Amino acid sequence: MPATRPDRTAMPNHDPVPLPHYDGADPTSVIAGIETWTASKPMRELLDEFGGEAPDGVAARLDYLDAFSARHWDFRAGRERYETDAERLDPVKERTVVEAATALGLGGVTVPPRGRYTHLLVLGGLVSSCLFRTRFAAELLAEGTAAERVTGVGGFRPLGAADARLAELAGYTGGEYEVDAMEEGLRRAFGLTGAPAVEREGDPAADPGRAWKVAAYTAGPLAVQAVAAPSSDPDRRRADTVDTCRFWADHVAELAPGDSVLVVTSALFVPFQHCDAVAHLGLPYGAAVDTVGVDTGSLPEAHFRREYTSSGYLQEIRSAIRSMRRLHEAALRASERS
């Protein structure tokens, strides 16, 4: 079925709804932010369009939103994002979805709230994501955002057919794993030359769950690294994003109270990946966390460009709800300890 590709520029917007904010000190601010986001006018109008009405109380509302979104907004059915076809919506629903999603933060944030960060953390993905997110990170620094370290995190996920097509179009050859594509993106974006200092352990081909790697470069005063982590459940799976972030925080960055982290991803994923970052990097370590995203619909390369669809927005609103639910539980635990 043909994709619905909304014209975001032609549509009026709600006032933007801020994502949960954490400055490294007060976990109750996170709970208040979740309350604001889940009870916002855009969320209420979106639910109403699909026949839903969330209850009062942030915990009950999150439970409801999780169950409701599973019934109405989950189009993946266990597949990867890039394997999921767009679903057609009627024009009224489409307009409501796009207006709500843009206000709820899925249009992305491109200007960092702070002028200086301890760490700039670029999240991996397909080859294309590794290349355009690292470029965006370099552009942020060139435009005046300051950081002491830039780290690209990937994994020992073997590059598949979708990666191979994108790599060929981008003129990238030679990599076997996602972390290799991330390292290539860092080299291109920051003009890195010479061999990095590499620490590694294990064999990613034979035992990817236990292998890890840190490749460190120097770009003038800036430290630039590519990191792949071991899994917390190595007998069953490769490292996931949580494993990678924790490994980076504990063994590479030595993240500590007073540090600040700017996470770089794609615009569509900003809400859910911001909430995950606050839950796993902010609250446990006392670090401030902000998240920005590349608008993939306006990338200069046609082969990288990806338009947002209404069903894609709904899918990632569901992702944000699920991440916010986990963040709420983490913030409650943190507030009880403080």
Side-chain angles (χ1 to χ4, degrees), residues 43-125:
M43 180 61 77
R44 294 197 309 271
E45 291 189 359
L46 183 61
L47 287 172
D48 184 66
E49 187 62 49
F50 286 84
E53 183 178 1
D56 293 332
V58 64
R61 190 181 305 120
L62 284 165
D63 290 346
Y64 176 87
L65 290 172
D66 192 354
F68 184 88
S69 65
R71 291 194 303 272
H72 298 280
W73 304 338
D74 187 4
F75 305 101
R76 289 177 64 180
R79 294 170 293 182
E80 296 292 336
R81 285 177 170 84
Y82 67 86
E83 296 173 329
T84 306
D85 294 329
E87 299 286 335
R88 182 182 294 277
L89 303 179
D90 68 63
V92 174
K93 277 188 170 65
E94 178 185 317
R95 184 184 184 93
T96 302
V97 168
V98 176
E99 289 183 349
T102 303
L104 291 169
L106 281 80
V109 177
T110 57
V111 179
R114 297 167 180 258
R116 175 176 295 274
Y117 292 87
T118 315
H119 301 279
L120 197 159
L121 185 66
V122 185
L123 304 184

Side-chain angles (χ1 to χ4, degrees), residues 154 168 199 219 261 291:
E168 182 179 5
E199 296 179 73
V261 182
T291 306

Side-chain angles (χ1 to χ4, degrees), residues 51-257:
E53 183 178 1
D56 293 332
V58 64
R61 190 181 305 120
L62 284 165
D63 290 346
Y64 176 87
L65 290 172
D66 192 354
F68 184 88
S69 65
R71 291 194 303 272
H72 298 280
W73 304 338
D74 187 4
F75 305 101
R76 289 177 64 180
R79 294 170 293 182
E80 296 292 336
R81 285 177 170 84
Y82 67 86
E83 296 173 329
T84 306
D85 294 329
E87 299 286 335
R88 182 182 294 277
L89 303 179
D90 68 63
V92 174
K93 277 188 170 65
E94 178 185 317
R95 184 184 184 93
T96 302
V97 168
V98 176
E99 289 183 349
T102 303
L104 291 169
L106 281 80
V109 177
T110 57
V111 179
R114 297 167 180 258
R116 175 176 295 274
Y117 292 87
T118 315
H119 301 279
L120 197 159
L121 185 66
V122 185
L123 304 184
L126 292 174
V127 163
S128 54
S129 297
C130 294
L131 297 179
F132 65 67
R133 291 176 187 172
T134 49
R135 180 176 65 195
F136 181 57
E139 290 169 354
L140 290 174
L141 297 185
E143 291 166 3
T145 300
E148 297 173 20
R149 296 187 190 180
V150 175
T151 303
V153 292
F156 287 120
R157 175 185 64 82
L159 299 182
D163 294 288
R165 289 192 298 271
L166 293 165
E168 182 179 5
L169 289 167
Y172 167 54
T173 59
E176 296 182 71
Y177 301 104
E178 177 189 335
V179 69
D180 298 327
M182 177 58 73
E183 196 170 343
E184 174 68 10
L186 292 169
R187 282 193 293 264
R188 292 185 181 194
F190 292 94
L192 304 176
T193 59
V198 177
E199 296 179 73
R200 65 191 314 156
E201 187 173 297
D203 181 351
D207 193 1
R210 291 179 172 83
W212 60 268
K213 174 185 176 182
V214 179
Y217 296 84
T218 300
L222 186 65
V224 181
Q225 302 164 311
V227 175
S231 172
S232 60
D233 191 2
D235 293 322
R236 298 182 61 187
R237 58 171 176 79
R238 294 188 299 270
D240 59 18
T241 302
V242 173
D243 293 332
T244 305
C245 287
R246 286 177 174 166
F247 177 82
W248 170 76
D250 287 334
H251 301 288
V252 181
E254 297 181 347
L255 204 62

Side-chain angles (χ1 to χ4, degrees), residues 20-21 26-38 58 327-333 335:
H21 175 69
D26 183 11
T28 62
S29 68
V30 176
I31 298 170
I34 294 171
E35 171 74 28
T36 297
W37 194 88
T38 58
V58 64
L327 175 58
H328 181 249
E329 294 170 354
L332 285 175
R333 292 192 297 268
S335 64

Side-chain angles (χ1 to χ4, degrees), residues 234-319:
D235 293 322
R236 298 182 61 187
R237 58 171 176 79
R238 294 188 299 270
D240 59 18
T241 302
V242 173
D243 293 332
T244 305
C245 287
R246 286 177 174 166
F247 177 82
W248 170 76
D250 287 334
H251 301 288
V252 181
E254 297 181 347
L255 204 62
D259 286 348
S260 53
V261 182
L262 179 64
V263 178
V264 176
T265 182
S266 297
L268 192 62
F269 309 139
V270 163
F272 99 80
Q273 291 187 327
H274 173 73
C275 291
D276 282 353
V278 173
H280 298 295
L281 299 177
L283 291 170
Y285 298 94
V289 176
D290 295 317
T291 306
V292 293
V294 183
D295 181 357
T296 59
S298 61
L299 288 169
E301 303 93 344
H303 50 273
F304 284 171
R305 201 175 302 140
R306 184 174 180 180
E307 297 290 341
Y308 305 139
T309 65
S310 300
S311 60
Y313 276 131
L314 290 172
Q315 184 72 61
E316 298 313 324
I317 289 172
R318 168 162 168 74
S319 297

